[in-house]
Amino acid sequence: MPVVKLTVNGTRYEEEVPERLLLVDFLRERLALTGTHVGCTFEGVCGACTIHLDGEAVKSCLMLAVQADGHEITTIEGLAGDTLTPLQAAFREHHSLQCGFCTPGILMNMSDFLRENPDPSEDEIRRGLVGNLCRCTGYVHIVRAVKDAARRMRGEA
Amino acid sequence: MAATPQDMLGARLPRKEDLRLVTGTGKYLADILLPGMLHAVFVRSEYAHARIRGIDTSEALALHGVVAVYTGIDFKDTVKPMPQPVVQPNLPARYPTFWPLAIDKVKHHGEPVALVIARDKYVAVDAAELVVVDYEELTPVLDPERALEDGSPLVHEEDGSNEIFAMTLTGGLTEEEQQRNADAVERIFQGADIVVKERFRVHRTGITPMEPRGVLCDWNDADGLTAWITTQRPHIDRLALIDLLDIPGEQVRVIAPRDQGGGFGVKAPFYRENLAIAYAARALKRPVRWIESRYESLMNVGQERDQVNYLEVAARKDGKLLALRNRGVADNGVGTTGVYWGFVMPFLGAVEMPNAYTWEAGDVRLRVATTNKASLTPSRAFGHFPTRFAIERAVDMVARRVGMEPSALRRMNLVPSLPYTSVTNEYYDSGDFLRVWDNLMAQVDLPAFRAEQAAARAAGRYLGIGFGCGVELSGVASELLVPMENQPGYGAATVRLDPRGKVLVFGGDAPGGQGHETTTAQVVASLFGIQASDVVVTTGDTGTTPFGSGSIGARAGSYFVSAVAEACGELKDKITRILAHDLQIEASVQHFEFKNGEVVYLGDRSKRKSFRDAVERIIMFPINMPEGEVGGLEYTAFFEAAKPMICFNADCCIVEVNVDTGDFEIRRWVTSEDVGTVINPNIVDGQMHGAIVQGLSNAMFEEFVYDERGQQMSADFEHYKLATAADVPDIEITYATTPCPHTPLGTRGIGEGRPSSVPGALTNAVCDALAPFGIEIAELPLRPNLVWRKLREARGEG
């Protein structure tokens, strides 16, 4: 079995994995990082499994664990430090989640999005979210939280 | 600054659930791992209708890591078939008999045929591919109207008919009364100025939660079965497992995980897969887990609506609605789903057809046809998405015929005062429809819009405005739930005080994202004068919670929190009885205030005790008690309203239609809601946003497609399209609330029925935009291709 060496949430791992093991299963079942969710049959549409690979949002159901060899991964469990990020805090404040199943993927996607788009319009936020399905919220409060987090991250009141 | 306890009712409190959910530390079913856990995969039918000539499991069994492979015959003598009373409504119907896996015949694409259990889930998938099923394909039954004709092939041959259910609603209780009422309806039609008659068709769609289903069963001979199930109804599932597997009741515990990724009705039925996994865990004496794939989910559940309604409306030329007559035909699918059997949804949809309007009479009939498709499963707006679409569209058609503004015609026909009993015998307990309507109209400057619309039309742009409204159930009273689902409607809650002054609440329903932990905590905090953070809520574990029929039909805001409030009231009584005794005063609960963590005697505010001390004294130091009192502070309350209760809402939508392409854009969506007393406005707003977008997504995008052989063509999210953030507008929610007089806090249960007025409002707006072309749309999904086709027909190009 191949061996992968990778860093997940700051911890280095060296693990034997079957070639066909999906990265999302590796994270969830081998490392018990169950905050990364599976919401579709690996067609990559729902976005619940979104993580950061070398800082960039990717869907972990569309990758094999062996493809992550040598890379650095952040999952939802590694997003916050001692306190919530402004985006996580804004999601709480604006009631941007209900069942929470899609939320980790949306937070991972949007935190990457906000790095590249520090001052997005509502339209840009909505287009930035198309890779994540949410069934509960109708997206209204999600859009509001992303906008508010962007403002806070820019240092505006 | 935290809100003071007295502000708790109505506070925009951030949810207690969210800290774990935004940090990835929630615990959903798929996150639970037990040592030695085995993985289950179902082999599912490739055909819509076929005889099973044989199943060869030998290759699968030979694969290294495979523990067991079951086929239908393994269950035939070891598991009771459905129906059994616990999962069967008190409605007369042709209930099909079925076991966990298909036996002899498969009846829809995706039906479970075999169950593979392996040590590794990848191996289980490999083994499932190795199970060889020899099928003889049969002619599938796919069109519900043709399914009801003589000579149609039969889905369930032993039934002798594909008509699973039929009924007549005219307000009469006997056949003679019904005929008399139907005759009266006919006379109204003969004398009416206006009759609108149309065939309304709503496609197969529903609500697909982001977390698919799952079951994890653990068995040991001492304790029996522990089943973690993605479910809205753990207590019902427990009873079903007891009865169907013949396990003594003390040996079954069902736990709905605290975090569930949405339910929306899809997790309310009792499913055959639950039974198969429980059976396997008992047989193997090992934990067995099944996590549904999205493919399986879209093949099998979340399919609803799917109905044709031949609706006639009689009206006067001044716009007064007189009578409605409807002949509905619903496509039930195969019907092998416990509790609902498919037809329970269209049943309620027919009952709810008259909506919020005063009719002199109605004649509403329904026939439900079994077909070789997945069974209808409950989906938010339970049953009445198609009937509501039909009635809301028909009302606009009447308005156009009599030359009235549809909004004015609606207002004229809204039930002016409540209570009211509809022509289908549905009871509307309370509220003020006109106030809700007037509040909606205050958000929209209709004359200004008409002026803008006229100017735009002159410039070749087509704007439209559409309205809709809906009476929705606020919880389901026993009076309705016993006949409909053979279950009680009461809400039940245990409130347990802790010696440190904390409060533990236990509820038997199992939420999936509605924020019960937070709203319950707000209710308790407001009643005890403490902080919401001092309240812990446990739901969904049959081992610790009182019996509840489940998180269904907007029961939380109506029945559950009412039970919580009543339990808190009983405990406050006891606390103040004992406190009065300790203070040596003659006083009872109304002479005390629970505020800011203290219990204060209003006759002399210096006589007070901290809530914590008052509670600790009763639980831990029960000496020197008043005569007849014992220590301890815990109470279980059961709340049942005397009559069914409702909530009410209204929608307005503004669109712009491109008459060259058929594309349309929603420019504004604004609502007016009567939700009773609001516990947490954030949560209520969120419920409405989500429900409306679900309604839009159902109306515009989602569609389960079966081909001419009954093959399900839309079993992934590429083909079953849900609305994304870029597909839907911002939504403005406004309120015109009337506290419910039948609940202790004035709250109403909200959110369940909310999507139903959406497709009507949307289509009304599009048709209003296209009024110069005389286009009336009577079918869903509403997509640009349909609008474009209608435009071509109207221009004589079709």
Side-chain angles (χ1 to χ4, degrees), chain A residues 112-132:
Chain A
D112 182 21
F113 171 85
L114 285 175
R115 261 196 305 270
E116 289 177 21
N117 305 274
D119 189 9
S121 68
E122 165 153 353
D123 226 34
E124 286 167 334
I125 295 169
R126 285 184 176 273
R127 268 181 257 159
L129 279 165
V130 296
N132 297 90

PDB file of all heavy atoms in Angstrom, chain A residues 112-132:
ATOM      1  N   ASP A 112     -11.808  30.992   1.930  1.00  0.00           N
ATOM      2  CA  ASP A 112     -10.898  31.127   0.785  1.00  0.00           C
ATOM      3  C   ASP A 112     -11.380  32.269  -0.135  1.00  0.00           C
ATOM      4  O   ASP A 112     -10.599  33.126  -0.555  1.00  0.00           O
ATOM      5  CB  ASP A 112     -10.860  29.791   0.019  1.00  0.00           C
ATOM      6  CG  ASP A 112      -9.904  29.814  -1.158  1.00  0.00           C
ATOM      7  OD1 ASP A 112      -8.990  30.668  -1.166  1.00  0.00           O
ATOM      8  OD2 ASP A 112     -10.067  28.983  -2.070  1.00  0.00           O
ATOM      9  N   PHE A 113     -12.672  32.290  -0.367  1.00  0.00           N
ATOM     10  CA  PHE A 113     -13.275  33.324  -1.227  1.00  0.00           C
ATOM     11  C   PHE A 113     -12.965  34.732  -0.709  1.00  0.00           C
ATOM     12  O   PHE A 113     -12.595  35.629  -1.479  1.00  0.00           O
ATOM     13  CB  PHE A 113     -14.791  33.080  -1.264  1.00  0.00           C
ATOM     14  CG  PHE A 113     -15.595  34.168  -1.933  1.00  0.00           C
ATOM     15  CD1 PHE A 113     -15.780  34.174  -3.304  1.00  0.00           C
ATOM     16  CD2 PHE A 113     -16.189  35.176  -1.179  1.00  0.00           C
ATOM     17  CE1 PHE A 113     -16.537  35.169  -3.921  1.00  0.00           C
ATOM     18  CE2 PHE A 113     -16.943  36.174  -1.785  1.00  0.00           C
ATOM     19  CZ  PHE A 113     -17.108  36.159  -3.160  1.00  0.00           C
ATOM     20  N   LEU A 114     -13.099  34.907   0.617  1.00  0.00           N
ATOM     21  CA  LEU A 114     -12.886  36.251   1.178  1.00  0.00           C
ATOM     22  C   LEU A 114     -11.419  36.679   1.125  1.00  0.00           C
ATOM     23  O   LEU A 114     -11.116  37.864   1.094  1.00  0.00           O
ATOM     24  CB  LEU A 114     -13.402  36.313   2.622  1.00  0.00           C
ATOM     25  CG  LEU A 114     -14.924  36.364   2.776  1.00  0.00           C
ATOM     26  CD1 LEU A 114     -15.323  36.310   4.241  1.00  0.00           C
ATOM     27  CD2 LEU A 114     -15.516  37.602   2.097  1.00  0.00           C
ATOM     28  N   ARG A 115     -10.518  35.700   1.127  1.00  0.00           N
ATOM     29  CA  ARG A 115      -9.104  36.057   0.971  1.00  0.00           C
ATOM     30  C   ARG A 115      -8.875  36.696  -0.395  1.00  0.00           C
ATOM     31  O   ARG A 115      -8.125  37.642  -0.536  1.00  0.00           O
ATOM     32  CB  ARG A 115      -8.224  34.811   1.107  1.00  0.00           C
ATOM     33  CG  ARG A 115      -7.599  34.656   2.481  1.00  0.00           C
ATOM     34  CD  ARG A 115      -6.441  33.661   2.466  1.00  0.00           C
ATOM     35  NE  ARG A 115      -6.823  32.359   1.926  1.00  0.00           N
ATOM     36  CZ  ARG A 115      -7.296  31.365   2.692  1.00  0.00           C
ATOM     37  NH1 ARG A 115      -7.439  31.527   3.993  1.00  0.00           N
ATOM     38  NH2 ARG A 115      -7.625  30.215   2.149  1.00  0.00           N
ATOM     39  N   GLU A 116      -9.569  36.156  -1.388  1.00  0.00           N
ATOM     40  CA  GLU A 116      -9.373  36.676  -2.743  1.00  0.00           C
ATOM     41  C   GLU A 116     -10.309  37.824  -3.079  1.00  0.00           C
ATOM     42  O   GLU A 116     -10.052  38.592  -3.995  1.00  0.00           O
ATOM     43  CB  GLU A 116      -9.552  35.539  -3.756  1.00  0.00           C
ATOM     44  CG  GLU A 116      -8.391  34.555  -3.680  1.00  0.00           C
ATOM     45  CD  GLU A 116      -8.558  33.382  -4.623  1.00  0.00           C
ATOM     46  OE1 GLU A 116      -9.329  33.502  -5.589  1.00  0.00           O
ATOM     47  OE2 GLU A 116      -7.908  32.354  -4.377  1.00  0.00           O
ATOM     48  N   ASN A 117     -11.420  37.894  -2.351  1.00  0.00           N
ATOM     49  CA  ASN A 117     -12.410  38.954  -2.607  1.00  0.00           C
ATOM     50  C   ASN A 117     -12.741  39.667  -1.304  1.00  0.00           C
ATOM     51  O   ASN A 117     -13.791  39.417  -0.713  1.00  0.00           O
ATOM     52  CB  ASN A 117     -13.706  38.364  -3.182  1.00  0.00           C
ATOM     53  CG  ASN A 117     -13.459  37.544  -4.431  1.00  0.00           C
ATOM     54  OD1 ASN A 117     -13.420  38.067  -5.530  1.00  0.00           O
ATOM     55  ND2 ASN A 117     -13.269  36.251  -4.238  1.00  0.00           N
ATOM     56  N   PRO A 118     -11.878  40.540  -0.843  1.00  0.00           N
ATOM     57  CA  PRO A 118     -12.103  41.141   0.473  1.00  0.00           C
ATOM     58  C   PRO A 118     -13.322  42.056   0.527  1.00  0.00           C
ATOM     59  O   PRO A 118     -13.820  42.317   1.619  1.00  0.00           O
ATOM     60  CB  PRO A 118     -10.820  41.920   0.746  1.00  0.00           C
ATOM     61  CG  PRO A 118     -10.152  42.082  -0.568  1.00  0.00           C
ATOM     62  CD  PRO A 118     -10.600  40.958  -1.448  1.00  0.00           C
ATOM     63  N   ASP A 119     -13.786  42.524  -0.606  1.00  0.00           N
ATOM     64  CA  ASP A 119     -14.926  43.441  -0.577  1.00  0.00           C
ATOM     65  C   ASP A 119     -15.970  43.025  -1.628  1.00  0.00           C
ATOM     66  O   ASP A 119     -16.214  43.727  -2.598  1.00  0.00           O
ATOM     67  CB  ASP A 119     -14.422  44.873  -0.854  1.00  0.00           C
ATOM     68  CG  ASP A 119     -15.520  45.900  -0.627  1.00  0.00           C
ATOM     69  OD1 ASP A 119     -16.592  45.538  -0.106  1.00  0.00           O
ATOM     70  OD2 ASP A 119     -15.288  47.078  -0.992  1.00  0.00           O
ATOM     71  N   PRO A 120     -16.570  41.866  -1.434  1.00  0.00           N
ATOM     72  CA  PRO A 120     -17.451  41.340  -2.486  1.00  0.00           C
ATOM     73  C   PRO A 120     -18.827  41.980  -2.477  1.00  0.00           C
ATOM     74  O   PRO A 120     -19.339  42.379  -1.434  1.00  0.00           O
ATOM     75  CB  PRO A 120     -17.564  39.854  -2.121  1.00  0.00           C
ATOM     76  CG  PRO A 120     -17.422  39.832  -0.634  1.00  0.00           C
ATOM     77  CD  PRO A 120     -16.491  40.957  -0.273  1.00  0.00           C
ATOM     78  N   SER A 121     -19.425  42.055  -3.647  1.00  0.00           N
ATOM     79  CA  SER A 121     -20.829  42.484  -3.753  1.00  0.00           C
ATOM     80  C   SER A 121     -21.715  41.290  -3.418  1.00  0.00           C
ATOM     81  O   SER A 121     -21.262  40.146  -3.390  1.00  0.00           O
ATOM     82  CB  SER A 121     -21.124  42.953  -5.175  1.00  0.00           C
ATOM     83  OG  SER A 121     -21.063  41.851  -6.059  1.00  0.00           O
ATOM     84  N   GLU A 122     -23.013  41.556  -3.214  1.00  0.00           N
ATOM     85  CA  GLU A 122     -23.936  40.442  -2.937  1.00  0.00           C
ATOM     86  C   GLU A 122     -23.938  39.444  -4.093  1.00  0.00           C
ATOM     87  O   GLU A 122     -23.937  38.234  -3.888  1.00  0.00           O
ATOM     88  CB  GLU A 122     -25.361  40.962  -2.685  1.00  0.00           C
ATOM     89  CG  GLU A 122     -26.384  39.829  -2.764  1.00  0.00           C
ATOM     90  CD  GLU A 122     -27.648  40.027  -1.961  1.00  0.00           C
ATOM     91  OE1 GLU A 122     -27.738  41.009  -1.197  1.00  0.00           O
ATOM     92  OE2 GLU A 122     -28.549  39.167  -2.098  1.00  0.00           O
ATOM     93  N   ASP A 123     -23.924  39.976  -5.298  1.00  0.00           N
ATOM     94  CA  ASP A 123     -23.913  39.117  -6.475  1.00  0.00           C
ATOM     95  C   ASP A 123     -22.681  38.217  -6.505  1.00  0.00           C
ATOM     96  O   ASP A 123     -22.764  37.033  -6.820  1.00  0.00           O
ATOM     97  CB  ASP A 123     -23.904  40.030  -7.711  1.00  0.00           C
ATOM     98  CG  ASP A 123     -24.901  39.553  -8.729  1.00  0.00           C
ATOM     99  OD1 ASP A 123     -25.955  39.037  -8.306  1.00  0.00           O
ATOM    100  OD2 ASP A 123     -24.597  39.677  -9.941  1.00  0.00           O
ATOM    101  N   GLU A 124     -21.526  38.802  -6.187  1.00  0.00           N
ATOM    102  CA  GLU A 124     -20.292  38.004  -6.185  1.00  0.00           C
ATOM    103  C   GLU A 124     -20.340  36.919  -5.120  1.00  0.00           C
ATOM    104  O   GLU A 124     -19.879  35.790  -5.336  1.00  0.00           O
ATOM    105  CB  GLU A 124     -19.079  38.924  -5.962  1.00  0.00           C
ATOM    106  CG  GLU A 124     -18.737  39.745  -7.184  1.00  0.00           C
ATOM    107  CD  GLU A 124     -17.744  40.885  -6.896  1.00  0.00           C
ATOM    108  OE1 GLU A 124     -17.696  41.367  -5.738  1.00  0.00           O
ATOM    109  OE2 GLU A 124     -17.047  41.282  -7.832  1.00  0.00           O
ATOM    110  N   ILE A 125     -20.896  37.272  -3.946  1.00  0.00           N
ATOM    111  CA  ILE A 125     -21.009  36.263  -2.881  1.00  0.00           C
ATOM    112  C   ILE A 125     -21.909  35.126  -3.355  1.00  0.00           C
ATOM    113  O   ILE A 125     -21.576  33.945  -3.213  1.00  0.00           O
ATOM    114  CB  ILE A 125     -21.565  36.883  -1.585  1.00  0.00           C
ATOM    115  CG1 ILE A 125     -20.584  37.906  -1.023  1.00  0.00           C
ATOM    116  CG2 ILE A 125     -21.862  35.799  -0.552  1.00  0.00           C
ATOM    117  CD1 ILE A 125     -21.156  38.761   0.104  1.00  0.00           C
ATOM    118  N   ARG A 126     -23.043  35.484  -3.930  1.00  0.00           N
ATOM    119  CA  ARG A 126     -23.976  34.444  -4.387  1.00  0.00           C
ATOM    120  C   ARG A 126     -23.318  33.551  -5.434  1.00  0.00           C
ATOM    121  O   ARG A 126     -23.465  32.334  -5.404  1.00  0.00           O
ATOM    122  CB  ARG A 126     -25.268  35.074  -4.919  1.00  0.00           C
ATOM    123  CG  ARG A 126     -26.172  35.576  -3.789  1.00  0.00           C
ATOM    124  CD  ARG A 126     -27.510  36.118  -4.266  1.00  0.00           C
ATOM    125  NE  ARG A 126     -28.348  36.481  -3.129  1.00  0.00           N
ATOM    126  CZ  ARG A 126     -29.163  35.645  -2.479  1.00  0.00           C
ATOM    127  NH1 ARG A 126     -29.252  34.387  -2.873  1.00  0.00           N
ATOM    128  NH2 ARG A 126     -29.874  36.049  -1.445  1.00  0.00           N
ATOM    129  N   ARG A 127     -22.564  34.149  -6.341  1.00  0.00           N
ATOM    130  CA  ARG A 127     -21.888  33.319  -7.350  1.00  0.00           C
ATOM    131  C   ARG A 127     -20.766  32.494  -6.736  1.00  0.00           C
ATOM    132  O   ARG A 127     -20.510  31.369  -7.137  1.00  0.00           O
ATOM    133  CB  ARG A 127     -21.390  34.173  -8.509  1.00  0.00           C
ATOM    134  CG  ARG A 127     -22.442  34.225  -9.608  1.00  0.00           C
ATOM    135  CD  ARG A 127     -21.995  35.036 -10.789  1.00  0.00           C
ATOM    136  NE  ARG A 127     -22.636  36.342 -10.760  1.00  0.00           N
ATOM    137  CZ  ARG A 127     -22.181  37.407 -11.388  1.00  0.00           C
ATOM    138  NH1 ARG A 127     -21.045  37.349 -12.053  1.00  0.00           N
ATOM    139  NH2 ARG A 127     -22.848  38.528 -11.331  1.00  0.00           N
ATOM    140  N   GLY A 128     -20.135  33.062  -5.707  1.00  0.00           N
ATOM    141  CA  GLY A 128     -19.086  32.314  -5.009  1.00  0.00           C
ATOM    142  C   GLY A 128     -19.614  31.096  -4.275  1.00  0.00           C
ATOM    143  O   GLY A 128     -18.863  30.168  -3.962  1.00  0.00           O
ATOM    144  N   LEU A 129     -20.906  31.098  -3.999  1.00  0.00           N
ATOM    145  CA  LEU A 129     -21.517  30.017  -3.212  1.00  0.00           C
ATOM    146  C   LEU A 129     -22.086  28.886  -4.064  1.00  0.00           C
ATOM    147  O   LEU A 129     -22.620  27.919  -3.518  1.00  0.00           O
ATOM    148  CB  LEU A 129     -22.645  30.592  -2.345  1.00  0.00           C
ATOM    149  CG  LEU A 129     -22.248  31.286  -1.033  1.00  0.00           C
ATOM    150  CD1 LEU A 129     -23.419  32.097  -0.489  1.00  0.00           C
ATOM    151  CD2 LEU A 129     -21.767  30.276  -0.003  1.00  0.00           C
ATOM    152  N   VAL A 130     -21.996  28.976  -5.385  1.00  0.00           N
ATOM    153  CA  VAL A 130     -22.712  27.979  -6.194  1.00  0.00           C
ATOM    154  C   VAL A 130     -22.160  26.559  -6.023  1.00  0.00           C
ATOM    155  O   VAL A 130     -22.855  25.595  -6.326  1.00  0.00           O
ATOM    156  CB  VAL A 130     -22.775  28.327  -7.707  1.00  0.00           C
ATOM    157  CG1 VAL A 130     -23.572  29.597  -7.939  1.00  0.00           C
ATOM    158  CG2 VAL A 130     -21.384  28.411  -8.294  1.00  0.00           C
ATOM    159  N   GLY A 131     -20.966  26.437  -5.517  1.00  0.00           N
ATOM    160  CA  GLY A 131     -20.415  25.091  -5.284  1.00  0.00           C
ATOM    161  C   GLY A 131     -20.858  24.473  -3.972  1.00  0.00           C
ATOM    162  O   GLY A 131     -20.387  23.398  -3.606  1.00  0.00           O
ATOM    163  N   ASN A 132     -21.738  25.150  -3.257  1.00  0.00           N
ATOM    164  CA  ASN A 132     -22.229  24.615  -1.983  1.00  0.00           C
ATOM    165  C   ASN A 132     -23.749  24.651  -1.967  1.00  0.00           C
ATOM    166  O   ASN A 132     -24.344  25.716  -2.134  1.00  0.00           O
ATOM    167  CB  ASN A 132     -21.718  25.451  -0.802  1.00  0.00           C
ATOM    168  CG  ASN A 132     -20.213  25.420  -0.672  1.00  0.00           C
ATOM    169  OD1 ASN A 132     -19.516  26.243  -1.249  1.00  0.00           O
ATOM    170  ND2 ASN A 132     -19.716  24.454   0.063  1.00  0.00           N
TER     171      ASN A 132
END
